Amino acid sequence: MSKSEAISWFRIQEMFRFQSFHMYGIIGTAVALGLLITYIIKKYNLRDYQGNPIVFTPKEKSVSRYLLGGTIFGLGWALTGACPGPLFVNLGHGFWAFLLAITGAIVGTFTYGVVKDRLPH
Amino acid sequence: MLEFISQPWPWYVSGMVIALIMALLLFFGKSFGFSSNLRVICAACGAGKKVDFFDFDWRAQTWNLLFLVGAIIGGFIASEFLSTGEVVQISKATIQDLNQMGISAPEALQPMEIFSLESLFTVKGFLILLSGGFMIGFGSRYAGGCTSGHAISGLSNLQLPSLIAVIGFFIGGLITTFVLLPLIF
């Protein structure tokens, strides 16, 4: 992530402005290979290192929670230029300001846990 | 070799590495989803006593916390030992657009207007990072996943919910980019 600058606020801005292929290339390559890996695992019923079958638990069907939750997530993603993983990678880089964003993310997760039953899912 | 990996990596290398991480996690009986860690952290801090959502066996997710620690260490190694100090090569159009908002062209990995400690202690900077983080945490749990869980793992499994979530990611991202950021800066 770090080495391809995917943790940079600049790269995320460039992506949301559709001004470069870079981020789409990263996600596209990962998904294309991911599709292949997932397909092969399912087709040949591959097992993990302990011999248990690898199962993909499908997400429950809904539209509202994914669309609303996704939109809220996207607002934050573009604002901080980082999704959850890169928040921590940036910390490793010595950008201490991300500690505040991480605090916000933990508080946000906690708040969701508190109000979740009152939200449309 | 060191010189080779010290340069910024092209997108296809990074994409392949991400897919490899997903494959390795699957092989070890796990799944690739980073934002679950935020829930695990809440649970580990004792939130399960008050809120049911955090009342689960978080210790079973210790591997994911290690993944988180690895992400921090990875960032440290990349910046300390594998960096040529090169400036992020974003497109000219983006530099121009950002300039109009008063954000200067990249001099490092991140814009100092947001991530320097000086900006952190301004009201604007403080609110950007805190509210941005809050929305990431709240939104990813509401949507049941973030970029790794939905965009990578979910789309790879051709899950419709993940596609809806990714569409949401972009709706939110575009609102921030074209409405919120011009208002803030």
Side-chain angles (χ1 to χ4, degrees):
Chain A
M1 295 293 281
S2 174
K3 287 307 300 173
S4 61
E5 299 164 347
I7 59 162
S8 165
W9 187 90
F10 289 115
R11 284 292 187 196
I12 303 300
Q13 269 301 299
E14 192 184 44
M15 172 180 83
F16 281 127
R17 290 171 189 277
F18 303 101
Q19 287 164 334
S20 163
F21 178 69
H22 187 81
M23 287 302 302
Y24 296 99
I26 293 176
I27 299 173
T29 311
V31 173
L33 282 171
L35 277 168
L36 188 70
I37 292 165
T38 310
Y39 175 78
I40 292 174
I41 290 175
K42 283 183 174 170
K43 177 141 195 237
Y44 298 101
N45 293 315
L46 294 187
R47 288 162 182 276
D48 67 16
Y49 77 118
Q50 287 177 322
N52 301 317
I54 298 177
V55 283
F56 297 91
T57 334
K59 296 268 180 196
E60 56 203 275
K61 295 250 179 309
S62 158
V63 174
S64 52
R65 75 170 292 188
Y66 300 113
L67 203 58
L68 291 171
T71 304
I72 297 170
F73 175 83
L75 288 167
W77 186 14
L79 207 52
T80 59
C83 43
L87 285 179
F88 291 89
V89 182
N90 269 295
L91 203 56
H93 270 257
F95 290 106
W96 301 111
F98 278 93
L99 272 177
L100 182 61
I102 291 171
T103 309
I106 294 171
V107 175
T109 303
F110 179 75
T111 308
Y112 170 75
V114 175
V115 301
K116 87 184 255 287
D117 294 334
R118 276 174 269 162
L119 298 170
H121 276 82
Chain B
M1 180 64 188
L2 196 63
E3 196 182 329
F4 180 69
I5 56 171
S6 289
Q7 288 159 12
W9 293 357
W11 50 267
Y12 49 86
V13 175
S14 181
M16 285 190 284
V17 173
I18 294 172
L20 182 70
I21 292 168
M22 188 188 91
L24 280 174
L25 285 174
L26 288 172
F27 175 70
F28 285 104
K30 319 293 184 201
S31 63
F32 184 35
F34 197 96
S35 63
S36 312
N37 272 318
L38 297 167
R39 185 181 172 207
V40 173
I41 292 171
C42 286
C45 292
K49 283 182 207 137
K50 292 208 176 100
V51 186
D52 287 348
F53 183 63
F54 301 106
D55 190 12
F56 65 103
D57 179 21
W58 61 270
R59 283 186 180 81
Q61 296 288 314
T62 309
W63 64 270
N64 212 348
L65 286 177
L66 287 176
F67 191 84
L68 181 153
V69 174
I72 301 177
I73 297 173
F76 176 75
I77 294 174
S79 72
E80 285 295 304
F81 306 111
L82 302 177
S83 169
T84 50
E86 217 167 294
V87 167
V88 187
Q89 297 291 325
I90 53 170
S91 76
K92 286 209 174 62
T94 311
I95 294 179
Q96 249 172 17
D97 287 356
L98 293 179
N99 257 331
Q100 284 182 348
M101 292 197 302
I103 292 174
S104 43
E107 285 167 25
L109 193 62
Q110 301 290 11
M112 285 302 120
E113 285 87 345
I114 302 178
F115 299 102
S116 67
L117 290 180
E118 290 85 65
S119 337
L120 176 66
F121 292 112
T122 63
V123 177
K124 187 165 85 173
F126 191 86
L127 286 180
I128 288 179
L129 288 168
L130 190 65
S131 64
F134 184 91
M135 290 190 283
I136 292 173
F138 188 92
S140 60
R141 218 53 287 119
Y142 192 2
C146 60
T147 331
S148 50
H150 275 312
I152 311 285
S153 303
L155 291 185
S156 293
N157 191 28
L158 297 174
Q159 290 171 175
L160 185 61
S162 295
L163 183 64
I164 302 171
V166 173
I167 292 171
F169 295 171
F170 269 84
I171 296 174
L174 293 175
I175 294 175
T176 292
T177 302
F178 293 104
V179 182
L180 293 184
L181 284 178
L183 284 175
I184 297 171
F185 285 97

